[in-house]
Amino acid sequence: MKNISGEMVTVIAILGLGVLAMSILTPILPLYLTSIGVTPVILGLMFSVAMVGMVIGESCWGWVSDRIGMKLPLNMGTFVCALAVLFFAFTRNVAAIFAIFFFWGVVRSALFGPSRGYIGASAPPLRKATFMAIIAAMLSASRSLGALPSGFMADNWGYHSVFFTSCGIAVVAGLLVITGLRKARSVSPSPTDITPCSNAEPLNPNQGLSFRSFTPQCLVTTLQFTGPGTLMTFLPLLATQVVGITATEVGILFTIMGISTMVLGIPMGMLADRVGKKTFMILGLLVSGTAMAGIACAQNYAWLIAFTVTSSLGLVMFSPAALGLLSESVPLERQSTAMGIYGGVCENTGIIAGSALGGFVWSAWGPQPTFLMGTIAAGLGAILCFSLVKVKTIR
């Protein structure tokens, strides 16, 4: 696309490598922790603690990026994140692992708010969902590349090989921050030749975030991300303990999820710009709820693949549309702050709920109710989105 600059490509590459480093751990970390005696309840709480760290970190790093530029947050999300992952390989103490999860959550979150804010501020006004979908597709590609070898490495070389590989990739991303972003700067408002719609609100130079209008969308996003929070933590356990597949096949399953998200992301973002972002948010919630119900009833590997792909479709219908809708309602100089709060508070609160509540539900009632919880949350989110979320554009 002609609107993608060299600096934007660099930011996307750094984000992609950072997510690749994290995604190598995603299918394997629950299996590793279970292998050293961590129970499902404690497992869910550990992942929830990481998300609490992301709530704090992502909100703060977006604010930092708007004021001093992206380089400090991106360095934290690469070099320091590599150090956090390395700690996993050297302890089996439960209290220490909780502390590592929290620290890891704080530093890894430094990648998301600044990167999304930069893309949101740089994207053309009428193509924001499309550009957010480009990020989603890139993240999915990174998750696919990470998930594919992780199970094989764990089965053949042990879990520690996965931790060391993740550290190495994060360091490479940090070197790209140093060499590729020589100037730390924010995106400045610039004139546009696109005439804003007639119902767009004029920009007040001192305008910040309107939390009154932001809250309904945040609540809907929290409900949507309850499902992914459950999937991230408990899909590996469902796949190995209930369906009966190997760790390598779990890695393949996560890879298929990532590939489907990558392939579907940009077309869904383009459709969201054309059809309407709020409409696509509602459709994404309904598709996600259906997918969680299907996963809850899965009896074989093919069934799991079909409904995890459906889950990916629901997420790529919802997220680019929601991010585009948010970006339209926020001034350029507040984009990173808004994206940081959105990702840190709204998305991660849902992931926390999915991980923490999922552990208790799994222990009390078993796997099926754990995933049906995501169906209920998505259905409630669709109702709230239809009734409460408003479309507002700042010119």
Side-chain angles (χ1 to χ4, degrees):
M1 293 183 181
K2 63 181 181 180
N3 301 97
I4 298 181
S5 64
E7 186 176 60
M8 187 183 295
V9 171
T10 302
V11 171
I12 292 174
I14 292 166
L15 180 59
L17 286 171
V19 171
L20 176 62
M22 299 174 207
S23 65
I24 285 180
L25 295 175
T26 300
I28 295 307
L29 200 50
L31 302 180
Y32 167 71
L33 294 171
T34 302
S35 74
I36 63 174
V38 175
T39 65
V41 171
I42 300 300
L43 179 66
L45 291 175
M46 284 177 172
F47 277 87
S48 297
V49 165
M51 292 301 106
V52 170
M54 290 195 70
V55 168
I56 298 170
E58 197 165 348
S59 304
C60 295
W61 292 122
W63 181 85
V64 169
S65 180
D66 276 335
R67 279 149 184 79
I68 66 172
M70 296 183 292
K71 289 194 74 172
L72 175 60
L74 295 184
N75 277 307
M76 294 295 294
T78 52
F79 288 120
V80 182
C81 188
L83 180 63
V85 170
L86 193 61
F87 290 154
F88 280 116
F90 295 104
T91 183
R92 293 191 172 194
N93 181 274
V94 171
I97 293 173
F98 268 108
I100 294 168
F101 264 108
F102 179 78
F103 180 61
W104 186 39
V106 171
V107 294
R108 73 180 181 179
S109 64
L111 289 175
F112 298 105
S115 300
R116 282 174 167 177
Y118 178 86
I119 302 300
S122 304
L126 299 183
R127 301 177 71 186
K128 289 185 179 290
T130 301
F131 272 68
M132 292 301 174
I134 292 173
I135 294 182
M138 179 276 305
L139 294 179
S140 299
S142 296
R143 292 187 182 106
S144 300
L145 291 172
L148 183 60
S150 60
F152 176 83
M153 286 190 292
D155 280 339
N156 291 277
W157 302 318
Y159 291 111
H160 284 188
S161 67
V162 182
F163 296 134
F164 296 142
T165 303
S166 175
C167 291
I169 295 171
V171 169
V172 172
L175 294 175
L176 189 57
V177 175
I178 295 174
T179 59
L181 296 178
R182 298 188 180 278
K183 295 182 179 180
R185 64 179 182 84
S186 300
V187 177
S188 301
S190 58
T192 178
D193 56 358
I194 300 177
T195 303
C197 57
S198 59
N199 62 346
E201 297 183 9
L203 174 63
N204 180 346
N206 299 317
Q207 183 172 358
L209 296 177
S210 173
F211 288 99
R212 183 176 179 181
S213 60
F214 181 78
T215 300
Q217 184 175 344
C218 185
L219 179 58
V220 169
T221 299
T222 297
L223 290 167
Q224 161 70 356
F225 274 81
T226 300
T230 304
L231 280 179
M232 177 185 69
T233 309
F234 296 103
L235 182 59
L237 299 186
L238 177 76
T240 55
Q241 296 180 11
V242 178
V243 179
I245 65 177
T246 66
T248 298
E249 289 172 315
V250 172
I252 294 171
L253 180 62
F254 275 80
T255 299
I256 293 171
M257 289 174 62
I259 291 174
S260 59
T261 305
M262 177 182 65
V263 171
L264 296 169
I266 295 177
M268 292 301 104
M270 295 173 70
L271 281 174
D273 280 327
R274 292 176 178 272
V275 174
K277 298 176 182 65
K278 178 178 175 178
T279 299
F280 252 62
M281 288 171 65
I282 296 171
L283 292 174
L285 285 157
L286 295 176
V287 172
S288 295
T290 302
M292 292 298 289
I295 292 171
C297 300
Q299 298 297 318
N300 54 58
Y301 194 33
W303 190 276
L304 269 184
I305 291 173
F307 281 103
T308 51
V309 170
T310 306
S311 175
S312 297
L313 173 61
L315 191 60
V316 297
M317 292 177 72
F318 178 89
S319 286
L323 289 166
L325 189 67
L326 174 64
S327 183
E328 287 179 349
S329 65
V330 176
L332 289 179
E333 64 274 15
R334 297 289 185 270
Q335 292 280 318
S336 292
T337 302
M339 294 297 174
I341 294 173
Y342 177 84
V345 176
C346 310
E347 293 181 350
N348 292 337
T349 299
I351 295 174
I352 290 170
S355 297
L357 295 177
F360 289 104
V361 174
W362 182 291
S363 297
W365 297 296
Q368 190 174 65
T370 302
F371 290 90
L372 289 176
M373 180 179 66
T375 299
I376 295 170
L380 181 58
I383 295 171
L384 294 180
C385 186
F386 178 78
S387 58
L388 297 181
V389 172
K390 307 297 181 184
V391 178
K392 183 182 74 170
T393 303
I394 291 180
R395 69 172 184 257

